[in-house]
Amino acid sequence: MHHELTKALYDVYPLEDKNDFFPAFLYMKYIENFIYHAFQASGLAVKEPRQKVPEEIDAMLKYYVQQIADSAPITDTNIYHGKVVKLQDAIKLVTQKKDMHLIPSEKVMPYKLAREVILKSNSPVAVGTCVCRSLSENPCLPPPYEACMFVGDPFASFLAEENPLFRRISQEEAVKILEDVHKKGFVHTAYFKKEMGNRFMAICNCCSCCCVGIRMWNMLEGMVPIMASSGYVAEVSDDCNACASCLNGTCKFNAIRMAEDGQKVVINEAKCMGCGVCVDVCPVEAIRLRREPSKGDPLDIDELQSQAQKV
Ligand code: SF4
Ligand code: SF4
């Protein structure tokens, strides 16, 4: 146990939020067991976690997951939520070169709680095994598959030192992983959590067959605000030749279908989360992302910083 990392984590919380320290500590130490309870709470089939934890700790993790589930239906109380981000915006989050403390507006993160972005120059990154895929009965990629990133300290260093599933990586490695998972068609999602100091702390790279967040989003048909759109929607130009490369599971939110006349594909804008995965799949560049104000604003830290400077 690295006591100085535990102390650094404890110091994140102001006096009135010290109660958040313990759930954050348990979450980071036992993330697979935490996600196991998230699967169970969602009614999804799940494998036993590899790490056995004492009964009382397991009970606390279960209680903690229940608190998240209870808060999830309303944006005012939601304490754990994800924002879909384009590849370029995800890269900016792991390559920050300046100290930054932003509180994005509710147009970016439509939640009252947990929406600060605090990064130091050259913020450390820890990558770890995707526990959603490890716990899934038929994962799309065999575990251990490294796809989950914690960004910024004390979280990244704590994970790298205290959780055997994680290791520290350079910013260059983080970018390579993001580019690689993007090519595999995964959705980059920036996660925010009240118990992590009310802020952004991680980027997950999600599929719709394993990842509990997207699976719940699709099951509940977006009715429970656990995820926010990137602020973009996909649109298809007349260059589409109906080759169908962007169908068959490309869209993790089931937002693309062939038009009835079979001449081109069409996007269901209500379902589209603006992840950009389909854009890079199309061989003739017939899909592009368009800013869509009704979907909110992007989590683009350059844009947010320049807006903050103008105020
Ligand atoms: S239509 Fe394209 S941009 Fe929209 S959610 Fe699906 S893959 Fe992502
Ligand atoms: S991949 Fe491109 S060309 Fe092919 S169907 Fe999709 S949008 Fe059309």
Side-chain angles (χ1 to χ4, degrees), residues 80-86 89-90 93-94 108-109 111 114-117 149 151 178 187-193 199-206 226-230 298-301:
Y80 184 69
H81 41 254
K83 170 86 171 176
V84 175
V85 285
K86 292 197 303 179
D89 292 338
L93 285 166
V94 299
V108 179
M109 296 301 297
Y111 306 94
R115 58 191 170 92
E116 295 185 35
V117 180
M149 290 178 192
V151 185
L178 287 171
V187 176
H188 316 294
T189 312
Y191 274 95
F192 291 70
K193 194 155 152 50
R199 66 203 240 195
F200 159 72
M201 82 296 180
I203 297 176
C204 289
N205 296 291
C206 305
I226 50 177
M227 295 181 81
S229 157
S230 72
L299 180 63
D300 174 340
I301 55 172

Side-chain angles (χ1 to χ4, degrees), residues 32-96:
E32 191 176 64
N33 306 72
F34 168 89
I35 297 291
Y36 170 79
H37 286 298
F39 270 74
Q40 286 218 315
S42 312
L44 299 169
V46 61
K47 288 198 298 208
E48 283 296 311
R50 288 158 293 181
Q51 188 182 8
K52 294 286 168 235
V53 297
E55 224 173 89
E56 58 276 21
I57 289 187
D58 202 49
M60 281 188 270
L61 289 167
K62 191 173 174 183
Y63 171 74
Y64 177 31
V65 167
Q66 192 56 49
Q67 275 189 316
I68 291 171
D70 290 346
S71 76
I74 308 169
T75 52
D76 281 15
T77 53
N78 195 317
I79 55 177
Y80 184 69
H81 41 254
K83 170 86 171 176
V84 175
V85 285
K86 292 197 303 179
L87 173 64
Q88 295 81 352
D89 292 338
I91 287 175
K92 286 180 194 173
L93 285 166
V94 299
T95 54
Q96 179 60 16

Side-chain angles (χ1 to χ4, degrees), residues 105 108 291 297 302-311:
S105 77
V108 179
R291 281 284 280 269
D297 286 344
D302 289 342
E303 189 176 313
L304 294 174
Q305 266 183 317
S306 84
Q307 283 168 4
Q309 278 154 16
K310 280 185 207 148
V311 175

Side-chain angles (χ1 to χ4, degrees), residues 7-21:
K7 171 77 170 59
L9 182 64
Y10 186 75
D11 289 343
V12 162
Y13 304 94
L15 196 58
E16 64 272 19
D17 287 337
K18 288 291 181 204
N19 280 348
D20 287 340
F21 160 76

Side-chain angles (χ1 to χ4, degrees), residues 236-237 239-247 256 258 263-265 278 281-287:
V236 183
S237 75
D239 293 335
C240 172
N241 58 24
C243 75
S245 302
C246 59
L247 298 177
I256 312 178
M258 188 60 76
Q263 297 299 300
K264 69 185 278 194
V265 295
C278 57
V281 165
C282 178
V284 296
E285 299 182 11
I287 312 181

